[in-house]
Amino acid sequence: MSTRATSIWGWGYADKFPEAEARRALGEQVSALLGGPPLEPREPAALDALRLPRPRVAPPEALAALCSVEDTDRAAHTYGKGYGDLVRGFHGDFSSAPDFVARPRTEEDVRAVMDWCGNHRVALIPFGGGTSVVRGVEAAIGDGFRGAVSLDMRGMDRVVEVDPVSRAARIQAGATGPVLEAQLASHGFTLRHFPQSFEFSTLGGWIATRAGGHFATLYTHIDDLVQSTRMLTPRGLYETRRLPASGAGPAPDRLVLGSEGTLGVITEAWVRVQARPRFRANASVHFPDFTSGARAVRELSQSGLHPSNCRLLDAQESFLNGVTGDGSCVLVLAFESADHPQQAKMERALAITASHGGECREGARYRSEEMGSQARAGGAADSWRSAFIEAPYLQNVMVSLGVIADTFETACTWDRFDELHGSILESMRGALERICGGGSVSCRFTHVYPDGPAPYYTFIGPAKPGGELAQWMALKQAASDAVMAHGGTITHHHAVGRLHRPWYDRERPEPFALALKAVKGALDPQGILNPGVLVGP
Amino acid sequence: MSTRATSIWGWGYADKFPEAEARRALGEQVSALLGGPPLEPREPAALDALRLPRPRVAPPEALAALCSVEDTDRAAHTYGKGYGDLVRGFHGDFSSAPDFVARPRTEEDVRAVMDWCGNHRVALIPFGGGTSVVRGVEAAIGDGFRGAVSLDMRGMDRVVEVDPVSRAARIQAGATGPVLEAQLASHGFTLRHFPQSFEFSTLGGWIATRAGGHFATLYTHIDDLVQSTRMLTPRGLYETRRLPASGAGPAPDRLVLGSEGTLGVITEAWVRVQARPRFRANASVHFPDFTSGARAVRELSQSGLHPSNCRLLDAQESFLNGVTGDGSCVLVLAFESADHPQQAKMERALAITASHGGECREGARYRSEEMGSQARAGGAADSWRSAFIEAPYLQNVMVSLGVIADTFETACTWDRFDELHGSILESMRGALERICGGGSVSCRFTHVYPDGPAPYYTFIGPAKPGGELAQWMALKQAASDAVMAHGGTITHHHAVGRLHRPWYDRERPEPFALALKAVKGALDPQGILNPGVLVGP
């Protein structure tokens, strides 16, 4: 594990939180954008001023070596990294802190912690990498428990086995993106699952939350890369057979995927890996408006070309991400392959985008490692990628400036998209005006399917001092209500957690809720695993 | 619905069962192959000699108009179309006959039948198109019920709605392949799901059993084509939201897919349709042995080329299907697209197969409807396709000749394939020798994945008169034990039913069995739906 310190309250490495002067300069840009008064950067609560409840339970002697009761550890495991988490942490409010943190090194350790929790009516919250943006790792567990333990799996981070013939690897659930990629690289493979949280999130967390990754089409979720799973439940080991496919009853892995820590603790998985891409094609295509861009993306999604990247940014996103500032929408388009050149696919794709008014200003760029060319993709693709990785750091700054800044995402069928998109923009603009006195909302597509897109929205608005959480929740409510009213899903890849639960309950069929409740009762009869998520009160 | 009569005991249309003379000629070919004595064709039991139990329950007045108590209807709904079904039917043994057959015209009819069954402790067996080869539709329900009703859904066969923008269609579950394709064609679309049972199986059956279809890669199962499902359960309507994708908890559709009639009756689904392919590329590649062919297919499966057809036939299959008789193995390879030419992909694929010793004797053939060429694919592809569709009819003849002829299929990771394949061949050859005094086993790949193939085995052997069922079960046992011992799944796309249940119980994780049992209890508390399948005694 890295020894570089991570922020207790904010996203990522602590040393990446800018000095006040730099934040003030950013504040000037933001207030210019929002048209409000100058924004003054505030400082997060000092380490010795964090407010945590006294622990209700202590780790037993047998587990003491795995456990930490330190307040800094408890604080760092209190929340995920959603806007509401950052705000509470920034102000030193760690009232949901777990009673202690357990760091298993082996599956036996996990079993021991789980047994102890079950025997002592203590909630067990799998922490993953702690990057949940939906309150998925927060011990908001109600009164039915004597306490709560946060289970930090990052000590179990090895690539245990690689099968080069089937191109698969057995990896422990606590491995973060960089840690598993570094180990796979030594075998000549890559998983190529790059969610925005890549640096800090874990394989187990990806599986538990059905994380969305690198590929804009075809292999969009971690679901598509999972060959088999191994999950420890209070009723025993849930380990599926390694298979490329099966038709034997409902798929057992599909119950693990999306279980969000409520049915067991994922300890390992076999995942499908691949050779590093050697052929690439990149282009950015400008459209006069989002509607024509969306039509082009729809035709691309139904063409069978399967671009690896197909991210349509609206004018505001294009501007905010430094891709272009001329009011056009930009489609960031890429193809990649470890096997064969991608020119023909890109040419066909550009013919499709041109037929919808798209303009490829710089010409497509091709890179083949085989041909020895080291030309960078460049242009919009590069600008977009660096903005993508840095975006969560920017949210830290926004919190310090007193600006509400958050994202939400959904997916819907193409026939509903225009209506859903229009309604979300209208609803969010109205809500920002009403609640914040102004603000901005923008959209991009992160993933696309033959039958619909996954639009991703970013909104910012000035907060009223002290009222940030209530304002943010009102905005979240407006966004989620619009999504649900117009045929979207409450989440395409951010998971349900505690934040999305009310809308999730409306989205799923009622008999499925009964089914899931029954499964929970069968596998976790004491209900200790991540209480309140997906099922139960 | 077609008025052409279907066989009560055998596969397909009754008029396709050859006259005795033609069967005698086939028998000579088979006995030449098996090296045994001449095979004399027998005649199936006469219609007035079928043995059915007396009905235990009768349809109530309110349902009488939907129900049939005729013995021919009861007999035609007694079994699926597996080898054991054909043998029993051929000899007139219909001892598992349902008490009556219900043919709902609306979802309300389904509800009424389900309610009546629940209130009267009568088992309800969704029949689909009755093409199960795993005893999935047989009322072998034990003593816990007062009777059994077979639910024939084929009266609900309409394409209700087409969404051309999202390329999706809402289709009633009782539509068979030809019936739904004809309706989709009038909208310019196709589902392109072509299981071997295509002519007679239904959309609902495909979903309930996770049927495998046309595409050898990428969209291999109906699972991949389902956008949302609608299933009537004893606890209410289970209807999922139409979505291209979601990350909201475990996927509700994935519990319907593979539920095999145990959790509810599927009444409708939204499925992803597509434009008819306009560009095609076909080739057949000969390999000196199966091992080199399998290596070539492995590299193809990991290339990202995604052929629509990639079926490797061993020497015996190539001979039996009339593709070639020179002892080589043949790979039937095809690409198709509605959007762009497939030449480049085929050329890259043939470079891969050539590097493994594959020889494309006739050259690849390309057909583009755009270019006005009507050249047929021809060669091995055509021979293979017609043999594929006719194969189940051949099984009728085999039964009349007293020959055991059956297939089984699995999937495994590539690293296990050589061992699994060797073990299956050895085990089946030994079992055929021991049990039948000789016989033949052959293999082909029906579907392939980056991490493993789905091999499909055909075996034939002479039966001892009167001992067919016991001999067949002993062969099935040998096959299934070998599959399970070497890392395969008990079924890649034939489902579990009652036939595969013992091995399925070993394949699935024990906590998943607990979960499924809990779901069954929650959705079907009286346990009336297809008892004995997947869960329960």
Side-chain angles (χ1 to χ4, degrees):
Chain A
M1 281 180 69
S2 169
T3 53
R4 190 174 167 193
T6 51
S7 173
I8 280 185
W9 66 272
W11 179 264
Y13 293 115
D15 58 32
K16 291 196 75 171
F17 186 61
E19 297 296 328
E21 209 42 54
R23 280 182 279 137
R24 184 168 291 114
L26 276 164
E28 280 169 24
Q29 290 177 36
V30 175
S31 59
L33 181 79
L34 295 173
L39 296 161
E40 198 53 33
R42 301 169 296 177
E43 297 305 318
L47 269 188
D48 57 7
L50 308 185
R51 299 183 304 281
L52 287 83
R54 291 170 60 97
R56 293 157 292 188
V57 289
E61 190 62 30
L63 299 176
L66 307 175
C67 297
S68 167
V69 295
E70 297 297 323
D71 274 359
T72 46
D73 267 334
R74 293 175 61 213
H77 290 78
T78 302
Y79 300 124
K81 299 295 179 191
Y83 173 79
D85 301 329
L86 268 54
V87 166
R88 287 181 290 174
F90 188 86
H91 294 298
D93 168 10
F94 291 91
S95 51
S96 308
D99 297 283
F100 60 88
V101 176
R103 292 190 170 90
R105 312 291 308 185
T106 65
E107 198 170 82
E108 273 317 295
D109 291 345
V110 177
R111 157 72 58 213
V113 174
M114 191 181 284
D115 284 350
W116 182 84
C117 287
N119 292 335
H120 293 82
R121 206 159 43 79
V122 170
L124 184 62
I125 321 273
F127 186 70
T131 61
S132 171
V133 292
V134 292
R135 302 183 60 211
V137 297
E138 180 183 339
I141 51 167
D143 298 328
F145 300 89
R146 291 184 51 221
V149 175
S150 179
L151 192 71
D152 185 328
M153 296 290 291
R154 286 173 292 186
M156 294 175 65
D157 65 355
R158 280 182 314 117
V159 172
V160 184
E161 200 174 342
V162 170
D163 167 5
V165 179
S166 317
R167 298 208 175 166
R170 179 157 74 95
I171 306 180
Q172 290 185 308
T176 61
V179 165
L180 69 84
E181 283 291 346
Q183 293 174 79
L184 288 175
S186 72
H187 297 269
F189 289 114
T190 169
L191 180 59
R192 296 197 79 57
H193 182 73
F194 304 121
Q196 198 165 33
S197 60
F198 174 77
E199 274 188 282
F200 302 102
S201 52
T202 63
L203 175 63
W206 299 341
I207 293 171
T209 61
R210 300 178 67 195
H214 167 72
F215 292 103
T217 68
L218 226 46
Y219 305 111
T220 56
H221 287 83
I222 192 71
D223 311 34
D224 306 309
L225 307 178
V226 167
Q227 186 182 74
S228 76
T229 50
R230 189 175 162 103
M231 177 170 78
L232 203 56
T233 81
R235 293 294 296 274
L237 189 62
Y238 187 124
E239 184 176 26
T240 63
R241 193 166 267 233
R242 277 189 70 197
L243 292 170
S246 173
D253 287 322
R254 297 285 180 171
L255 193 57
V256 178
L257 286 155
S259 58
E260 301 197 12
T262 63
L263 304 179
V265 174
I266 298 161
T267 59
E268 278 183 11
W270 275 95
V271 291
R272 297 176 182 124
V273 297
Q274 48 190 299
R276 256 157 226 292
R278 294 189 307 155
F279 303 93
R280 284 196 176 85
N282 294 78
S284 51
V285 184
H286 295 248
F287 290 91
D289 54 70
F290 198 63
T291 304
S292 53
R295 294 224 171 100
V297 167
R298 171 157 70 88
E299 190 174 338
L300 277 174
S301 75
Q302 296 172 347
S303 69
L305 288 166
H306 308 311
S308 53
N309 201 348
C310 189
R311 285 170 164 82
L312 179 67
L313 317 183
D314 74 4
Q316 174 86 335
E317 292 259 336
S318 300
F319 169 68
L320 291 176
N321 289 279
V323 173
T324 180
D326 68 354
S328 61
C329 297
V330 177
L331 174 64
V332 180
L333 191 60
F335 292 89
E336 63 172 52
S337 169
D339 183 76
H340 49 276
Q342 301 293 293
Q343 270 93 330
K345 282 190 190 174
M346 180 60 90
E347 280 162 25
R348 174 61 193 143
L350 293 179
I352 289 173
T353 54
S355 76
H356 292 275
E359 194 192 336
C360 181
R361 289 183 193 162
E362 300 132 15
R365 294 167 194 233
Y366 301 98
R367 180 170 57 155
S368 159
E369 284 170 28
E370 195 152 66
M371 293 189 292
S373 158
Q374 287 302 315
R376 298 297 311 279
D382 261 10
S383 307
W384 176 80
R385 189 166 298 119
S386 65
F388 179 67
I389 293 296
E390 292 301 315
Y393 283 107
L394 200 57
Q395 203 178 17
N396 295 349
V397 177
M398 293 296 191
V399 167
S400 94
L401 292 170
V403 171
I404 296 172
D406 200 9
T407 64
F408 62 93
E409 35 80 77
T410 184
C412 68
T413 49
W414 286 112
D415 65 317
R416 305 296 301 268
F417 173 68
D418 288 347
E419 183 191 308
L420 174 129
H421 182 60
S423 159
I424 285 175
L425 292 184
E426 189 188 329
S427 162
M428 289 307 289
R429 284 174 187 149
L432 283 163
E433 191 61 44
R434 200 170 61 246
I435 294 161
C436 301
S440 146
V441 56
S442 61
C443 177
R444 64 172 182 261
F445 290 169
T446 57
H447 304 80
V448 292
Y449 303 87
D451 50 340
Y456 188 101
Y457 295 87
T458 300
F459 62 90
I460 58 174
K464 286 169 195 146
E468 290 150 308
L469 286 177
Q471 287 174 283
W472 167 70
M473 268 313 297
L475 291 165
K476 184 79 197 165
Q477 174 98 33
S480 304
D481 287 349
V483 162
M484 292 309 290
H486 297 282
T489 171
I490 192 58
T491 177
H492 173 268
H493 61 267
H494 280 176
V496 177
R498 292 167 179 85
L499 184 61
H500 287 149
R501 180 71 194 278
W503 297 278
Y504 171 67
D505 283 355
R506 284 152 57 187
E507 178 173 334
R508 65 179 169 189
E510 186 53 31
F512 183 71
L514 296 176
L516 209 51
K517 199 177 155 190
V519 172
K520 172 82 171 174
L523 300 192
D524 177 23
Q526 291 151 315
I528 56 167
L529 287 162
N530 217 6
V533 170
L534 298 185
V535 291
Chain B
M1 279 180 70
S2 169
T3 52
R4 190 174 167 192
T6 52
S7 173
I8 280 186
W9 65 272
W11 180 263
Y13 293 115
D15 58 34
K16 291 197 73 169
F17 186 62
E19 297 296 327
E21 209 42 55
R23 280 181 279 136
R24 183 168 293 113
L26 275 163
E28 280 168 24
Q29 290 176 38
V30 175
S31 59
L33 181 79
L34 295 173
L39 296 161
E40 198 54 33
R42 302 170 294 176
E43 297 304 318
L47 268 189
D48 57 8
L50 307 185
R51 301 184 302 283
L52 285 84
R54 291 169 61 95
R56 296 157 290 188
V57 289
E61 190 63 30
L63 300 176
L66 308 173
C67 297
S68 167
V69 296
E70 297 297 323
D71 275 358
T72 46
D73 267 334
R74 292 175 60 212
H77 289 79
T78 302
Y79 301 125
K81 299 296 180 191
Y83 174 79
D85 301 329
L86 267 55
V87 167
R88 289 181 289 173
F90 188 87
H91 294 298
D93 168 10
F94 290 92
S95 52
S96 308
D99 298 281
F100 60 88
V101 176
R103 292 190 170 91
R105 310 293 305 184
T106 65
E107 199 171 81
E108 272 317 294
D109 290 346
V110 178
R111 156 72 59 212
V113 175
M114 191 182 284
D115 284 351
W116 182 84
C117 287
N119 292 335
H120 293 82
R121 206 159 42 80
V122 170
L124 184 63
I125 321 274
F127 186 70
T131 61
S132 171
V133 293
V134 291
R135 303 183 61 212
V137 297
E138 179 183 340
I141 52 167
D143 298 328
F145 299 88
R146 291 184 51 222
V149 175
S150 179
L151 192 71
D152 185 328
M153 296 290 290
R154 287 173 291 185
M156 294 174 66
D157 65 354
R158 281 183 311 119
V159 172
V160 183
E161 199 174 343
V162 171
D163 167 6
V165 180
S166 317
R167 299 206 176 169
R170 180 156 74 95
I171 306 180
Q172 291 185 308
T176 61
V179 165
L180 69 83
E181 283 291 347
Q183 294 175 79
L184 288 175
S186 73
H187 296 269
F189 290 114
T190 169
L191 180 59
R192 295 196 81 57
H193 181 75
F194 303 121
Q196 198 166 32
S197 59
F198 174 78
E199 274 187 283
F200 302 101
S201 52
T202 62
L203 175 63
W206 299 340
I207 293 172
T209 61
R210 300 177 68 194
H214 167 71
F215 292 103
T217 68
L218 227 45
Y219 305 111
T220 56
H221 287 82
I222 192 72
D223 311 34
D224 306 309
L225 307 179
V226 166
Q227 187 183 75
S228 75
T229 50
R230 188 176 163 103
M231 177 170 78
L232 204 55
T233 81
R235 293 293 295 274
L237 189 62
Y238 188 123
E239 184 177 26
T240 63
R241 192 167 268 231
R242 276 189 70 198
L243 293 170
S246 173
D253 286 322
R254 297 285 179 171
L255 193 57
V256 177
L257 286 155
S259 57
E260 300 196 13
T262 63
L263 304 180
V265 174
I266 298 162
T267 59
E268 278 184 12
W270 275 95
V271 292
R272 298 176 180 123
V273 297
Q274 47 191 297
R276 256 157 226 291
R278 294 189 306 156
F279 303 92
R280 285 196 175 85
N282 294 78
S284 51
V285 184
H286 294 249
F287 291 90
D289 54 70
F290 199 64
T291 304
S292 53
R295 293 223 172 100
V297 168
R298 171 157 70 87
E299 190 175 338
L300 278 175
S301 75
Q302 296 172 347
S303 69
L305 288 166
H306 309 311
S308 54
N309 201 346
C310 188
R311 284 169 164 82
L312 179 68
L313 316 183
D314 73 5
Q316 175 86 336
E317 292 259 335
S318 300
F319 170 68
L320 291 177
N321 289 279
V323 173
T324 180
D326 67 355
S328 61
C329 298
V330 177
L331 173 63
V332 180
L333 191 59
F335 292 88
E336 63 172 53
S337 169
D339 183 77
H340 49 274
Q342 301 292 296
Q343 271 93 329
K345 282 189 189 174
M346 180 59 92
E347 281 163 22
R348 174 61 193 144
L350 292 179
I352 289 174
T353 55
S355 74
H356 292 275
E359 192 191 339
C360 181
R361 290 180 193 165
E362 301 132 16
R365 292 165 196 235
Y366 301 98
R367 181 171 56 156
S368 160
E369 284 171 28
E370 195 151 65
M371 294 188 292
S373 159
Q374 287 303 316
R376 298 296 312 279
D382 261 11
S383 307
W384 176 81
R385 190 166 298 119
S386 65
F388 179 68
I389 292 296
E390 293 300 315
Y393 284 106
L394 200 57
Q395 203 177 18
N396 295 349
V397 177
M398 294 296 191
V399 167
S400 96
L401 292 170
V403 171
I404 296 172
D406 200 9
T407 63
F408 62 93
E409 34 81 76
T410 183
C412 68
T413 49
W414 285 113
D415 65 317
R416 305 296 300 267
F417 174 68
D418 288 346
E419 183 191 309
L420 174 129
H421 183 60
S423 161
I424 285 175
L425 291 184
E426 190 188 329
S427 163
M428 288 308 289
R429 284 173 186 150
L432 283 162
E433 191 60 45
R434 198 170 61 246
I435 295 161
C436 302
S440 146
V441 56
S442 60
C443 177
R444 66 172 182 261
F445 290 168
T446 57
H447 304 81
V448 290
Y449 303 86
D451 50 340
Y456 188 102
Y457 295 87
T458 300
F459 62 90
I460 58 173
K464 286 168 194 147
E468 292 150 307
L469 285 178
Q471 288 173 282
W472 167 70
M473 267 315 297
L475 292 165
K476 184 79 197 164
Q477 173 99 34
S480 304
D481 286 349
V483 162
M484 291 309 291
H486 297 282
T489 172
I490 192 59
T491 177
H492 173 267
H493 61 267
H494 280 175
V496 177
R498 293 167 179 85
L499 184 60
H500 287 150
R501 179 70 193 278
W503 297 277
Y504 171 67
D505 282 355
R506 285 153 54 189
E507 177 173 335
R508 66 179 168 189
E510 187 51 34
F512 183 71
L514 297 176
L516 210 51
K517 199 175 155 193
V519 172
K520 172 83 171 173
L523 300 192
D524 177 23
Q526 291 151 315
I528 55 168
L529 287 163
N530 217 5
V533 171
L534 298 185
V535 292

